[in-house]
Amino acid sequence: MANRVLLVDDEEVNLDLMEQLVTAEGYEVMRAADGETALEMVKTGKPDVIFLDIVMPQMNGLEVLRKIKTSPFSYAIPVIMVTAISGIEERVKSIQAGADDFITKPFDRIELGARLKSLMRLKSIHDRLESNYLTLKEMQKNRETLTQKVVSDFQTPMKVIKEAMDAVSQESSKLSAEAWAKIEPALFCVDMAITMADDFIRVMTMEQDQLKKAYESLVSKQHLTKPEE
């Protein structure tokens, strides 16, 4: 399936021009003439890249951008802000809101194509990263479930043995010195084994947390800050 590009502009002539340039690059085009429609299409159409005009009535481009970048469902979609203003102020505001790139009207086909391909690669890297993370997360979950079962199966008989040996130790006065000399270190070994099993579960939990942090670090390096879910 072809990559999808969402074009957002309140001027039909601009949408027509962008559509010609984007389709010429081999991408599928979605169009929205206002912010509300754009946000709905982001949810239903799942575009790979968005061209977003800054100056629009009702909901301007910066408002739309903030909503896209603060949603856990769309934060990773690269957004190219489209502006006819060459000043720095609008660009700074866009960067603060999460913009990934800019393009200035009137459009240059070569520039548009280059920026589009660059962000398509960025989105593709993120998607592969997300897919790999989810696969690793599922594998880790299965491993954790299996390990916890094994540890639990191990702990149960060990605790039974410990309880029995504790009961015997309560009668240590009735035991010979030779018998107690064997039971005392055995009790220590059982306690140590149970502690090791508990430690193993804690290590598994730490590994899961480290996997999550590693993923979030890689996402951050791609300049795609994931919002809180």
Side-chain angles (χ1 to χ4, degrees):
M1 185 175 70
N3 293 109
R4 293 180 176 180
V5 179
L6 173 60
L7 309 176
V8 188
D9 198 306
D10 61 313
E11 296 288 341
E12 188 172 354
V13 63
N14 290 333
L15 287 174
D16 290 340
L17 178 56
M18 282 194 293
E19 182 171 1
Q20 290 177 9
L21 296 175
V22 171
T23 53
E25 297 293 333
Y27 301 113
E28 182 181 331
V29 168
M30 301 158 51
R31 295 170 52 143
D34 59 79
E36 289 291 347
T37 303
L39 292 173
E40 188 60 33
M41 294 184 77
V42 167
K43 292 179 183 178
T44 59
K46 298 180 181 178
D48 296 287
V49 172
I50 301 170
F51 280 90
L52 178 59
D53 189 29
I54 292 180
V55 181
M56 295 190 296
Q58 298 177 347
M59 185 186 297
N60 65 39
L62 290 177
E63 292 178 85
V64 178
L65 176 62
R66 290 189 191 97
K67 289 181 181 294
I68 290 171
K69 291 299 183 177
T70 55
S71 167
F73 304 104
S74 59
Y75 76 95
I77 302 175
V79 179
I80 303 175
M81 301 305 289
V82 179
T83 178
I85 304 171
S86 58
I88 193 67
E89 184 178 354
E90 290 295 332
R91 290 175 180 257
V92 170
K93 288 181 180 178
S94 297
I95 290 172
Q96 291 173 338
D100 297 278
D101 206 345
F102 303 88
I103 192 166
T104 305
K105 301 174 185 178
F107 308 113
D108 179 85
R109 178 176 179 177
I110 295 176
E111 179 187 13
L112 183 145
R115 293 181 185 276
L116 184 53
K117 287 176 182 177
S118 175
L119 290 184
M120 281 292 183
R121 284 196 296 270
L122 183 63
K123 182 62 164 54
S124 177
I125 290 170
H126 178 277
D127 288 347
R128 288 199 301 272
L129 180 62
E130 182 82 16
S131 176
N132 290 341
Y133 168 71
L134 292 175
T135 299
L136 286 172
K137 187 176 180 181
E138 184 62 27
M139 290 172 64
Q140 181 74 6
K141 182 179 178 182
N142 292 338
R143 177 191 171 207
E144 185 176 348
T145 300
L146 178 60
T147 302
Q148 286 179 341
K149 185 178 185 306
V150 171
V151 170
S152 176
D153 290 346
F154 169 79
Q155 285 177 320
T156 299
M158 290 301 289
K159 288 177 180 178
V160 171
I161 293 171
K162 183 179 185 307
E163 288 174 1
M165 295 183 72
D166 282 339
V168 172
S169 69
Q170 296 298 318
E171 305 293 330
S172 59
S173 60
K174 299 178 182 180
L175 299 174
S176 66
E178 183 181 354
W180 178 246
K182 294 180 179 179
I183 290 176
E184 189 174 20
L187 274 169
F188 174 78
C189 290
V190 170
D191 284 334
M192 184 172 66
I194 292 173
T195 300
M196 288 173 62
D198 291 338
D199 289 342
F200 190 74
I201 291 177
R202 281 193 288 272
V203 169
M204 291 288 295
T205 302
M206 289 173 61
E207 287 181 350
Q208 183 72 14
D209 291 341
Q210 289 172 352
L211 178 64
K212 182 179 180 181
K213 288 177 182 178
Y215 164 71
E216 289 175 346
S217 175
L218 288 171
V219 168
S220 178
K221 288 178 182 178
Q222 294 300 328
H223 308 294
L224 297 176
T225 303
K226 189 170 183 177
E228 293 295 327
E229 296 188 23

